[in-house]
């Protein structure tokens, strides 16, 4: 009988193997993970408002009622993002807890008769779950692999990576996380939840998914990249709030780690979204406590109670705590370096061989993880149960089929437990809860903790970078809490030190650790450990997300410019590249030729005055030109400018020029023009951005960098130093009272009048009673020899 089942299993495995995809078997529709050579998958985002005629007409037609509706929809979407992300987190947690519960219950019931049969069942269940995860990722949603935080950080930094916010990426992230985490791999679901929240926010912002016929016009209000950025920021905060039940930590995570641009109005909406997530999660937990969620109970969501332990500390204890911070910085920096090398090897050698290799790799790692987690506890001697404490509520040992503290695994007597199996034969949440528990001081031996630390650290390095959704928050907490407990009962500080040494977060991570442990008394120690671990880690390399973003070819603009930029100017940064510009009235054939031969996304538009002087009148985007070529309604026969009073931009709404989220949009190859069309002309004046940002050629590159990043720009014009000044705006000019009856003349406190010429340069006197020093500085800047 057993041989027949074995033969059937072999035949089934052969059938599955023959159906596994290879590199050339699947069509991924242009969605793939980035490599350092795949620059075509990266595109900058247009966060700047294009104030062309179409935009100004729409703004003029919108009254206060529409503005109120606009604001109301923003808050409605914040509410929906919180609800959606909270429900996604509940689904993932319930599924993971139930799969793990069934797995452990079945395994423990079988090992009562045969440990070999129990091992086979345990390995196969993990293998099936991991296989389902990697198959979904490779065939359905390749952009859902990894944590997704480097890609989302790049998006909020102004870089769009095709496929990261699609509907299938969301589905792949949810289902893939269930399989990879439920399959026992050394990874977590917290990072993928951040990506999940971002996908939900992006889909809600564009009204759903038109490809899968799940869209609503009522929500299609925010179509610009700028509005989507705000929604994705809310989604990132919601993901952290859902993963850790830490709403304030979610807000600070979005502010500290992923966003490059922030404002007070966005803060309120992000805070509101995180609060909604906390309410949804707590409601789901209250409903599941009644036993309606299977194996999902009160421990399903991360909340580690360390009450009853050490509540005070002395000055002498600061030294071992500092040692923990140093250890965390060293191990975190080493983790970043090892994962960087292995991921680089995977992407450039292993994963280039196709999807079949990715599937084999994930399955092999699953088998290795199962063998280690099942085999190592067999080599460990059991320990006698400590004296029972009725106040602790913890039984020793736990009955077979239960997982938690004091697991009875391969023990001859009933009153013994296996401390190594107590860590391995648990979900990660329960294992961390065991390590954090202050009521089980003598539960784990130093030998078992050291063994688990080495093996789990190795497994986490091996697993990171496989083609499954993978987060590093919970594995980092497990690693840190293990050596924290080795030093003393400092599991919380050890977890904080490793995360600080690897991810280099400080404020947000400190708040998250406090929220998930409900312990404010250790806040100063957590702050101290985080600062030490981050300082030690920064001495060796960058943070985990920055390293992975660089490996993936995501051109992040970090908060601090490079030191070399101080000695460079804007003109030097431009190099010798030729600037491609368009005249105001351009021939269609010339536009097509330029777009086919150039990959630029922004083009200056020039015009000539009656005296023959060349003027830069604005910036036209590639996406705008493609829309105009596709619609053909703005073609004209004569090469003369149109009359501005007869504005023809009413034919286009500003939303028509926006590229769909996380997609390539229109390509020049998708547009078909006849010979007659190619001989037509277009007037670009109504569609260009008439007020792009311009910097003088001798501005330091550091200053340009800060301007570019802080304003979220995509293009900056570099121009010669202007010959004259028409005015000067001070703080006083920007403090406009909200009074419709106020006279605009009262605001003109600054004026400029020419006084004399100096070597062809017009010197202007600033007539501002508050700015005599500015007047002197301006004259000095135009003095001979300072041009």
């Amino acid at each position: 009988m057993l041989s027949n089942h074995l033969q059937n299993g072999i035949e089934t495995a052969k059938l599955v193997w023959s159906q596994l995809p290879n590199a050339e078997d699947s069509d991924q529709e242009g969605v793939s993970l980035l490599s350092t050579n795949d620059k075509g998958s990266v595109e900058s985002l247009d966060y700047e408002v294009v104030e062309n005629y179409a935009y100004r007409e729409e703004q003029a037609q919108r009254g206060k009622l529409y503005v109120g509706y606009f604001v109301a929809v923003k808050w409605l979407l914040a509410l929906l993002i919180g609800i959606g992300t909270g429900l996604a987190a509940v689904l993932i947690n319930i599924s993971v807890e139930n799969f793990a519960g069934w797995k452990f219950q079945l395994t423990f019931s079988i090992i009562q008769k045969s440990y070999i049969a129990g091992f086979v069942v345990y390995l196969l269940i993990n293998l099936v779950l991991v296989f389902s995860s990697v198959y979904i990722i490779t065939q359905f949603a390749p952009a859902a692999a990894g944590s997704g935080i480097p890609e989302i950080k790049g998006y909020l930094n102004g870089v769009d990576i095709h496929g990261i916010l699609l509907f299938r990426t969301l589905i792949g992230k949810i289902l893939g996380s269930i399989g990879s985490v439920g399959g026992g791999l050394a990874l977590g679901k917290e990072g993928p939840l951040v990506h999940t929240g971002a996908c939900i926010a992006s889909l809600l912002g564009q009204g759903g998914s038109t490809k899968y016929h799940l869209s609503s016009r009522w929500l299609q209000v925010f179509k610009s990249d700028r509005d989507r950025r705000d929604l994705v920021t809310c989604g990132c905060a919601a993901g952290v709030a859902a993963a850790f039940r830490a709403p304030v930590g979610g807000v600070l995570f979005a502010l500290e780690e992923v966003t490059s641009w922030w404002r007070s109005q966005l803060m309120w909406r992000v805070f509101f979204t995180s609060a909604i997530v906390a309410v949804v999660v707590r409601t789901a937990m209250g409903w599941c406590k009644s036993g309606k969620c299977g194996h999902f109970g009160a421990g399903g969501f991360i909340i580690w109670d360390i009450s009853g332990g050490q509540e005070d500390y002395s000055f002498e204890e600061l030294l071992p705590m500092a040692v923990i911070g140093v250890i965390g910085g060293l191990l975190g920096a080493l983790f970043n370096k090892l994962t960087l090398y292995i991921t680089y090897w995977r992407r450039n050698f292993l994963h280039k061989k196709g999807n079949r290799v990715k599937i084999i790799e994930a399955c092999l790692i699953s088998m290795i993880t199962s063998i280690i987690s099942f085999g190592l506890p067999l080599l460990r001697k059991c320990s006698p149960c400590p004296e029972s404490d009725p106040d602790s509520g913890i039984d020793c040992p736990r009955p077979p089929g239960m997982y938690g503290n004091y697991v009875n695994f391969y023990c001859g007597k009933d009153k013994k437990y296996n401390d190594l199996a107590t860590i391995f034969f648990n979900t990660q949440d329960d294992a961390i809860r065991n390590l954090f528990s202050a009521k089980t001081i003598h539960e784990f031996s130093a030998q078992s903790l050291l063994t688990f630390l080495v093996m789990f650290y190795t497994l986490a390095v091996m697993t990171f970078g496989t083609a499954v959704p993978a987060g590093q928050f919970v594995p980092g907490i497990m690693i840190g809490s293990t050596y924290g407990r080795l030093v003393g009962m400092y599991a919380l500080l050890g977890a904080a030190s490793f995360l600080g040494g690897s991810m280099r977060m400080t404020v947000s991570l400190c708040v998250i650790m406090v929220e998930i442990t409900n312990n404010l008394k250790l806040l100063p120690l957590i702050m101290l450990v985080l600062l030490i671990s981050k300082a030690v880690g920064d001495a060796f390399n960058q943070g985990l997300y920055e390293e992975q973003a660089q490996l993936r070819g995501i051109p992040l603009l970090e908060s601090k410019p490079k030191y070399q930029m101080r000695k460079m100017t804007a003109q030097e940064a431009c190099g010798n590249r030729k600037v491609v510009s368009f005249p105001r009235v351009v021939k269609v054939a010339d536009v097509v030729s330029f777009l086919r031969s150039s990959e630029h996304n922004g083009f200056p538009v020039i015009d000539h005055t009656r005296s023959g002087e060349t003027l830069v009148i604005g910036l036209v985007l590639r996406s705008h030109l493609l829309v105009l070529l596709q619609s053909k309604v703005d073609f004209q026969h004569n090469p003369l400018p149109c009359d501005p009073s007869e504005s023809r931009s009413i034919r286009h709404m500003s939303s028509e020029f926006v590229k769909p989220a996380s997609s390539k949009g229109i390509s020049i190859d998708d547009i078909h023009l006849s010979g007659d069309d190619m001989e037509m002309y277009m007037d670009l004046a109504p569609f260009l951005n008439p007020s792009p940002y311009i910097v003088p050629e001798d501005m330091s590159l550091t200053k340009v960098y800060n301007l570019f990043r802080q304003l979220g720009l995509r293009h900056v014009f570099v121009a010669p130093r202007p010959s004259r000044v028409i005015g000067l705006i001070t703080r006083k000019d920007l403090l406009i009272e909200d009074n419709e009856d106020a006279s605009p003349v009262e605001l003109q406190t600054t004026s400029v009048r020419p006084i004399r010429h100096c070597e062809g340069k017009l010197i202007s006197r600033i007539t501002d009673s508050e700015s005599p020093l500015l007047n002197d500085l301006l004259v000095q800047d135009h003095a001979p020899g300072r041009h």
Side-chain angles (χ1 to χ4, degrees):
M1 182 67 69
L2 181 61
S3 60
N4 293 337
H5 286 296
L6 182 61
Q7 183 67 28
N8 293 335
I10 294 175
E11 295 297 330
T12 303
K14 289 181 178 180
L15 178 61
V16 172
W17 170 257
S18 64
Q19 295 178 352
L20 289 181
N22 209 338
E24 62 274 4
D25 294 340
S26 61
D27 180 17
Q28 299 182 7
E29 302 181 16
V31 181
S32 62
L33 293 176
L34 293 177
S35 65
T36 54
N37 299 323
D38 189 16
K39 301 299 183 183
S41 297
V42 178
E43 182 179 353
S44 296
L45 293 163
D46 295 296
Y47 288 152
E48 183 184 359
V49 177
V50 180
E51 296 180 342
N52 54 21
Y53 289 125
Y55 175 81
R56 292 177 179 177
E57 287 178 2
E58 290 185 11
Q59 294 297 316
Q61 295 174 2
R62 294 174 178 177
K64 291 185 176 181
L65 182 62
Y66 183 85
V67 173
Y69 168 75
F70 196 76
V71 173
V73 174
K74 282 186 176 181
W75 285 95
L76 174 62
L77 287 177
L79 173 67
L80 295 178
I81 292 170
I83 295 175
T85 307
L87 293 177
V90 170
L91 173 63
I92 293 175
N93 277 275
I94 289 178
S95 302
V96 169
E97 290 289 322
N98 276 284
F99 277 124
W102 295 330
K103 175 179 65 178
F104 290 127
Q105 186 178 31
L106 182 60
T107 302
F108 271 91
S109 62
I110 294 177
I111 62 176
Q112 302 302 319
K113 301 177 182 178
S114 171
Y115 274 88
I116 297 178
F119 166 72
V120 173
V121 171
Y122 178 76
L123 185 144
L124 289 178
I125 294 176
N126 285 336
L127 189 62
V128 169
L129 290 173
V130 173
F131 175 80
S132 65
S133 176
V134 68
Y135 190 88
I136 290 172
I137 297 302
T138 54
Q139 296 307 296
F140 183 69
S147 69
I149 293 181
E151 289 80 4
I152 298 302
K153 185 174 182 178
Y155 182 88
L156 296 177
N157 193 257
V159 181
D160 189 14
I161 303 164
H162 304 309
I164 63 169
L165 296 176
L166 297 179
F167 178 73
R168 59 177 174 177
T169 302
L170 171 63
I171 299 301
K173 208 74 178 183
I174 294 175
L175 298 180
S177 297
I178 294 173
S180 61
V181 179
L185 294 180
L187 45 83
K189 55 185 177 294
E190 288 67 32
L193 268 175
V194 176
H195 194 177
T196 299
C199 290
I200 292 174
S202 177
L203 290 169
L204 287 174
Q206 61 185 357
S209 174
T210 55
K211 180 179 179 180
Y212 297 98
H213 307 289
L214 299 172
S215 60
S216 173
R217 293 184 178 180
W218 294 98
L219 298 177
Q220 295 177 359
V221 179
F222 306 102
K223 294 187 177 182
S224 68
D225 292 336
R226 189 185 184 93
D227 294 329
R228 288 175 187 154
R229 174 183 61 182
D230 293 350
L231 294 174
V232 171
T233 303
C234 293
C236 291
V240 175
F244 293 103
R245 287 176 55 196
V248 180
V251 176
L252 294 177
F253 175 83
L255 174 61
E256 178 185 9
E257 186 63 23
V258 295
T259 60
S260 304
W261 188 85
W262 198 264
R263 68 175 188 272
S264 58
Q265 297 94 330
L266 180 60
M267 171 75 81
W268 282 107
R269 291 203 302 274
V270 171
F271 188 79
F272 173 71
T273 304
S274 300
I276 294 299
V277 171
V279 172
V280 172
V281 171
R282 182 162 292 277
T283 303
M285 289 187 62
W287 184 69
C288 288
K289 283 183 179 179
S290 60
K292 299 179 181 179
C293 301
H295 288 270
F296 181 85
F301 278 93
I302 296 176
I303 187 73
W304 300 310
D305 185 14
I306 58 174
S307 60
Q310 183 176 358
E311 296 183 354
D312 198 4
Y313 48 90
S314 60
F315 180 79
E316 291 77 9
E317 292 179 283
L318 294 181
L319 179 60
M321 295 173 188
V323 171
I324 290 177
V326 174
I327 294 174
L330 294 175
L331 290 181
L334 178 63
F335 183 87
N336 293 357
K337 185 63 67 175
L338 292 176
T339 53
L340 181 66
Y341 286 150
I342 294 178
T343 307
Y344 177 83
W345 174 76
R346 275 195 179 105
R347 298 174 62 83
N348 292 277
F349 300 100
L350 186 63
H351 287 180
K352 282 188 174 181
K353 297 181 180 180
N355 290 334
R356 179 178 292 181
V357 175
K358 296 179 183 179
I359 295 175
I360 296 173
E361 178 198 24
C363 292
L364 284 177
I365 292 178
S366 173
M367 295 174 65
I368 293 173
T369 304
S370 299
I371 292 172
I372 290 176
S373 59
F374 195 97
L376 283 181
L378 295 176
L379 305 177
R380 179 66 184 160
K381 293 182 179 180
C382 294
S383 304
C385 288
E387 295 181 4
S388 59
D389 184 4
D391 298 331
S392 66
I394 300 176
D395 296 330
C396 180
R398 287 291 179 95
M402 301 292 290
Y403 49 97
N405 294 82
Y406 301 113
V407 173
N408 187 329
F409 181 83
Y410 204 62
C411 299
K413 297 181 180 180
D414 293 338
K415 290 299 181 180
K416 287 188 175 184
Y417 73 99
N418 192 318
D419 57 350
L420 194 56
T422 300
I423 311 178
F424 274 118
F425 272 87
N426 269 306
T427 60
Q428 292 179 356
D429 291 357
D430 280 320
I432 296 173
R433 190 175 293 107
N434 294 345
L435 292 170
F436 274 33
S437 177
K439 301 175 181 178
T440 56
I441 300 177
H442 304 291
E443 181 177 5
F444 303 104
S445 64
Q447 183 180 359
S448 296
L449 290 174
L450 187 60
T451 302
F452 178 80
L453 173 63
V454 174
M455 298 310 303
F456 193 82
Y457 190 96
T458 305
L459 291 174
V461 171
M462 290 174 50
T463 308
F464 189 84
T466 53
V468 294
Q472 284 304 311
F473 272 102
V474 168
I477 293 175
M478 291 190 68
I479 294 171
S481 59
T482 303
Y483 67 75
R485 186 144 178 165
L486 268 172
V487 175
M489 289 302 294
Y490 303 128
L492 172 63
L493 300 181
S497 69
F498 185 83
L499 291 179
S502 176
M503 300 179 182
R504 313 293 160 78
M505 296 186 299
T506 53
V507 179
S508 59
L509 185 58
C510 180
V511 174
I512 289 174
M513 298 304 292
V514 170
E515 285 188 284
I516 62 180
T517 56
N518 289 332
N519 193 303
L520 282 172
K521 295 184 179 180
L522 296 180
L523 178 60
L525 298 182
I526 297 175
M527 297 171 64
L528 175 65
V529 166
L530 283 174
L531 290 174
I532 295 175
S533 62
K534 184 182 186 303
V536 173
D538 286 338
F540 293 94
N541 50 34
Q542 300 183 85
L544 178 66
Y545 301 137
E546 288 77 13
E547 294 274 5
Q548 294 297 319
Q550 185 177 359
L551 180 63
R552 286 166 168 78
I554 304 174
L556 287 179
L557 294 180
E558 298 297 335
S559 58
K560 185 179 180 181
K562 300 294 183 182
Y563 178 80
Q564 297 85 344
M565 293 183 178
R566 299 180 181 181
K567 302 178 181 180
M568 298 178 63
T569 63
Q571 184 181 15
E572 293 173 349
C574 294
N576 298 322
R577 296 190 302 270
K578 184 179 179 181
V579 179
V580 179
S581 60
F582 288 114
R584 173 179 173 175
V585 181
V586 61
K587 195 174 183 179
V588 172
D590 294 337
V591 176
V592 174
S593 176
F594 273 128
L595 295 181
R596 290 188 183 277
S597 61
S598 173
E599 295 182 355
H600 295 300
N601 289 281
F603 305 92
V605 179
I606 61 175
D607 200 3
H608 298 277
T609 62
R610 294 181 180 179
S611 61
E613 182 183 1
T614 301
L615 295 177
V616 178
I617 62 173
L619 170 73
V620 64
L621 298 178
R622 185 186 192 94
S623 58
H624 288 51
L625 293 174
L626 292 173
V627 171
L628 297 178
L629 291 176
Q630 188 179 53
S631 64
K632 303 180 184 180
V633 297
D634 296 284
F635 290 178
Q636 61 186 41
H637 293 280
N638 58 321
L640 299 176
C642 63
D643 188 356
S645 62
E646 299 176 359
S647 178
R648 297 163 27 170
S649 61
I650 195 67
R651 301 174 182 175
H652 298 279
M653 301 294 291
S654 60
S655 59
E656 298 179 29
F657 298 104
V658 178
K659 180 179 70 70
S662 192
S663 64
K664 295 183 178 180
I666 307 174
S667 172
I668 186 62
D669 298 326
D670 301 330
I671 300 174
H672 304 284
L673 300 172
S674 63
D676 295 337
D677 294 333
M678 300 289 278
E679 298 299 321
M680 303 286 279
Y681 294 86
M682 289 191 303
D683 186 359
L684 302 180
F687 311 104
L688 54 82
N689 183 4
S691 54
Y693 287 90
I694 303 176
V695 299
E697 59 185 349
D698 56 351
M699 177 182 284
S700 69
L701 192 57
T702 298
K703 201 170 182 179
V704 176
Y705 183 98
N706 292 328
L707 175 73
F708 200 95
R709 186 182 187 277
Q710 291 172 9
L711 296 178
L713 303 181
R714 185 174 185 177
H715 310 92
V716 169
F717 283 174
V718 178
R721 182 167 289 278
S723 59
R724 63 191 182 93
V725 179
I726 65 170
L728 179 68
I729 294 179
T730 64
R731 179 184 296 268
K732 194 168 160 186
D733 300 312
L734 300 177
L735 298 176
I736 300 177
E737 297 293 337
D738 190 11
N739 186 0
E740 297 179 355
D741 298 331
S743 174
V745 180
E746 297 176 358
L747 301 174
Q748 297 178 358
T749 59
T750 305
S751 61
V752 176
R753 60 183 180 87
I755 55 174
R756 62 186 176 89
H757 287 274
C758 180
E759 293 187 1
K761 300 293 183 179
L762 183 63
I763 304 299
S764 302
R765 184 183 301 277
I766 310 297
T767 57
D768 189 346
S769 59
E770 296 182 351
S771 309
L773 179 60
L774 290 177
N775 178 46
D776 297 336
L777 292 175
L778 186 62
V779 174
Q780 290 176 8
D781 285 343
H782 289 80
R786 298 292 298 275
H787 295 164

